[in-house]
Amino acid sequence: ETLICTLPQETRRKISEPAMGAVYEAAGKHEVRLRSALLLQEEVASGKCWLDMDPVSGKVLRMVHIVTLNLVRDDGCTIKKIGEWDNDHQHVVRCKSKPPGTKLRPGEMPRQALSRLLQEEFPGMNIQVSNRISERSETEPSEKYSVCTKYVITEFAAELLDSCDDSMVTKMSRSVLDAEHFTMEEEEDGNADDPNLLEVVQIDMDQAGSEKKTEVYAWFSSMRAKTSLAISCR
């Protein structure tokens, strides 16, 4: 499955054609399912996924390959995405916490996708990637596309070599994790060394003002990271 990601986009599109045909056939004249089929076809054309048939059930599978990063610093804290910056409203839109990650692009191998992720999301950090790699897959229904999606996940382990400078983070109350959105100015008053404060990685406002979406990350203590390990957002 991972090798299919290395194929040219046109080849992946052709591989997806039989399954795409099955999606349209199943949709029939159902207006909602036809819209879902069109959205799915557009995503296949964009290279964000490809389609396969489940050998057991015969049902169509939307195949999405993801690389994730388990990045730890010397005090055991782990970094996780907590939202995206909304430049129009000047605040962070929350999502459920999950490790940094990216979808594989056509022609990419997992390590190439990882290099792109590090360059795009953590350009100023001195990160050492270990040889520890884990792979797993998860299958769940996708209401948007009216098919099941199989996520093939390759996780890399890495360590932040430099200590985390206080100037690189904004310390906030953990209550922001329960909010729908929050501003980057919500710094907690009082003891800045309070271990219960959340360390939110500061974002580049010049980049945040561009059209590219800007992910927002925070450092979680090892104990809190374990309790939220299974939480993710798509």
Side-chain angles (χ1 to χ4, degrees):
E1 294 173 341
T2 302
L3 291 177
I4 293 181
C5 285
T6 67
L7 298 175
Q9 171 56 16
E10 180 61 19
T11 303
R12 287 172 23 131
R13 188 188 65 78
K14 287 186 177 298
I15 290 174
S16 302
E17 281 182 353
M20 193 70 247
V23 170
Y24 275 109
E25 184 177 351
K29 296 182 179 181
H30 193 283
E31 186 176 341
V32 174
R33 297 192 68 177
L34 281 173
R35 283 201 299 267
S36 295
L38 182 59
L39 288 173
L40 183 60
Q41 186 173 14
E42 290 174 350
E43 193 186 45
V44 170
S46 73
K48 294 179 180 178
C49 74
W50 58 280
L51 303 182
D52 197 7
M53 304 292 289
D54 188 313
V56 177
S57 67
K59 294 183 178 180
V60 173
L61 287 175
R62 169 178 169 258
M63 304 293 295
V64 179
H65 293 253
I66 299 174
V67 160
T68 62
L69 178 66
N70 180 23
L71 176 59
V72 181
R73 65 187 191 190
D74 58 3
D75 61 359
C77 288
T78 304
I79 202 166
K80 291 184 179 292
K81 175 184 172 180
I82 61 171
E84 293 181 1
W85 176 254
D86 183 333
N87 195 57
D88 292 335
H89 295 91
Q90 293 289 294
H91 63 213
V92 177
V93 179
R94 276 281 290 132
C95 74
K96 291 181 179 179
S97 306
K98 69 171 184 176
T102 184
K103 292 180 181 178
L104 267 69
R105 295 174 179 174
E108 276 188 332
M109 291 296 287
R111 280 198 175 273
Q112 292 172 314
L114 173 66
S115 296
R116 174 171 53 80
L117 175 68
L118 293 174
Q119 184 177 6
E120 291 179 352
E121 301 298 330
F122 310 110
M125 294 187 184
N126 186 11
I127 296 172
Q128 183 178 53
V129 179
S130 77
N131 291 323
R132 290 188 293 117
I133 304 173
S134 64
E135 294 185 353
R136 69 182 189 279
S137 62
E138 301 172 0
T139 302
E140 59 186 53
S142 174
E143 293 183 9
K144 180 178 180 180
Y145 301 108
S146 299
V147 297
C148 282
T149 297
K150 182 176 181 179
Y151 295 96
V152 181
I153 304 164
T154 303
E155 182 180 81
F156 290 87
E159 180 182 0
L160 179 66
L161 297 182
D162 297 333
S163 58
C164 190
D165 194 316
D166 282 349
S167 65
M168 298 172 60
V169 298
T170 298
K171 295 188 178 181
M172 301 180 182
S173 168
R174 289 185 177 271
S175 63
V176 300
L177 296 177
D178 299 320
E180 292 184 1
H181 54 77
F182 63 91
T183 69
M184 291 298 287
E185 286 73 34
E186 290 183 14
E187 189 165 351
E188 179 80 0
D189 294 329
N191 183 8
D193 295 324
D194 186 345
N196 291 318
L197 295 181
L198 183 70
E199 297 183 30
V200 180
V201 179
Q202 292 187 2
I203 61 176
D204 184 341
M205 287 301 179
D206 291 334
Q207 176 179 302
S210 67
E211 294 183 0
K212 179 184 179 296
K213 70 177 181 179
T214 301
E215 319 280 10
V216 178
Y217 299 94
W219 291 100
F220 287 76
S221 68
S222 56
M223 185 60 67
R224 291 180 185 272
K226 287 179 181 178
T227 60
S228 62
L229 185 61
I231 300 176
S232 65
C233 64
R234 303 293 180 191

